[in-house]
Amino acid sequence: MNAVPHLPTLLAAGETRLSAEQIYPRLFDAILEQRLPPGSLLPEQALGHAFGVSRTVIRRVLGRLSDQQVVVQRPSHTAHLAAPDPDQARQVLSARRLAETTLITLAAQRARPAQVRQLRQLVERERQHHERGERCAAIRLGGEFHLKLAQVAANAPLARFLNGLVPMTSLIIARYESPCCDHCAWEEHAAIIDAVEQGDAEAALELMHRHLDRLEEKLDLE
C-alpha cells in the first residue's frame, strides 16, 4: 500500500479555513487526477495540513468518501484509497446498470420543473469543465448528475445504493478510461434530461442504456 504523497497547500490565495463541504470536491478531484495513486494511505494529519484544517474536518470528508466506497476505512487502521481491479470494476458497472434503469423510469414519471432546472444547471457546469479541459471535475459532476437524477426518482433505498456506486464509477473511469477517448458525457446527460422533462420513460430508459454502453466501451478493462 502506498504512503500518501506530499501535497502542497490546497488553499487558494486569500482563503482561510474550509468546510468539509468545500474540501470534498477538491479531494475527490485530486483522487480522480491520480495525484493520490490508487491504494494510497490517507493520514488525517497530512490531509489536514494540505487543506489547512483540523483532523476533525478531514474525518468528516473521509467518512463521506468511505460511504461512497472511494475510501476504505477500518478500525485502528489508516484510511486508504480504493483500488478497484478490472473484475471489481465490471461488478460495479453491472450493479449500477440494474439500479439506473429502474431509477430513470421513475424519474421520468415523477420529475418536477424545479428538479429539471437543477439537472440542467448541473449539466451546464459539467459542459463548462469539459470544454476547459478540466476532465476530472467534469467526471465528478457527471457522477453528481446521476445522483441528482436518483433523488428525482424519489426511491430512497435505490438512491442510497447508487450513492455507493457512482463515485466508485468515477474512480474507475479516471483509472481505466482509454487515452484516445473523447466522450462528451454532458451531451448524453442533456438528452436524458429532455426525455425526463417530457415524461417519456421509454425514451429516457433507452438513452440511459446507450449512455452506460458508451461509458463501458471507453474503459480498458482487459
Side-chain angles (χ1 to χ4, degrees), residues 97 101 204-214:
R97 186 182 291 267
T101 50
L205 178 60
E206 176 62 24
L207 288 167
M208 180 62 75
H209 271 300
R210 292 181 190 174
H211 176 55
L212 295 176
D213 286 343
R214 289 288 302 279

Side-chain angles (χ1 to χ4, degrees), residues 2-216:
N2 301 322
V4 67
H6 172 72
L7 288 176
T9 178
L10 296 175
L11 292 172
E15 285 185 327
T16 53
R17 296 176 63 85
L18 300 178
S19 67
E21 290 72 23
Q22 291 171 312
I23 291 172
Y24 169 80
R26 299 192 189 193
L27 182 55
F28 204 155
D29 287 351
I31 291 170
L32 296 186
E33 290 164 6
Q34 299 188 38
R35 284 185 277 158
L36 294 170
S40 292
L41 294 174
L42 300 172
E44 295 170 3
Q45 184 173 355
L47 289 172
H49 179 74
F51 285 103
V53 297
S54 69
R55 295 176 62 177
T56 301
V57 175
I58 292 299
R59 199 171 293 127
R60 288 200 294 271
V61 177
L62 292 178
R64 179 177 176 183
L65 291 168
S66 177
D67 289 342
Q68 297 175 322
Q69 303 185 65
V70 174
V71 164
V72 179
Q73 288 185 310
R74 292 184 296 165
S76 304
H77 289 76
T78 301
H80 66 272
L81 185 60
D85 62 28
D87 187 55
Q88 291 171 327
R90 294 186 186 95
Q91 292 179 32
V92 167
L93 295 170
S94 177
R96 176 173 171 175
R97 186 182 291 267
L98 289 173
E100 294 251 38
T101 50
T102 299
L103 286 166
I104 189 61
T105 301
L106 294 174
Q109 296 169 349
R110 300 174 178 177
R112 299 190 298 271
Q115 294 173 318
V116 171
R117 287 195 296 272
Q118 291 174 350
L119 288 169
R120 292 198 187 281
Q121 291 168 358
L122 189 54
V123 171
E124 173 60 18
R125 290 169 56 204
E126 181 188 2
R127 180 193 66 80
Q128 291 172 0
H129 282 290
H130 175 82
E131 294 186 351
R132 289 199 295 262
E134 297 166 351
R135 170 178 172 269
C136 289
I139 290 174
R140 174 174 51 79
L141 288 169
E144 289 182 14
F145 163 79
H146 287 267
L147 296 178
K148 177 65 70 175
L149 200 58
Q151 293 176 13
V152 174
N155 184 301
L158 269 180
R160 285 196 295 271
F161 179 58
L162 193 67
N163 188 61
L165 297 174
V166 167
M168 177 64 82
T169 306
S170 297
L171 185 60
I172 290 167
I173 292 170
R175 188 174 188 190
Y176 292 110
E177 185 177 51
S178 172
C180 62
C181 177
D182 186 24
H183 177 206
C184 297
W186 70 266
E187 295 178 340
E188 296 172 8
H189 291 161
I192 290 171
I193 294 173
D194 291 341
V196 167
E197 184 175 32
Q198 295 162 14
D200 191 338
E202 184 176 347
L205 178 60
E206 176 62 24
L207 288 167
M208 180 62 75
H209 271 300
R210 292 181 190 174
H211 176 55
L212 295 176
D213 286 343
R214 289 288 302 279
L215 186 155
E216 294 177 17

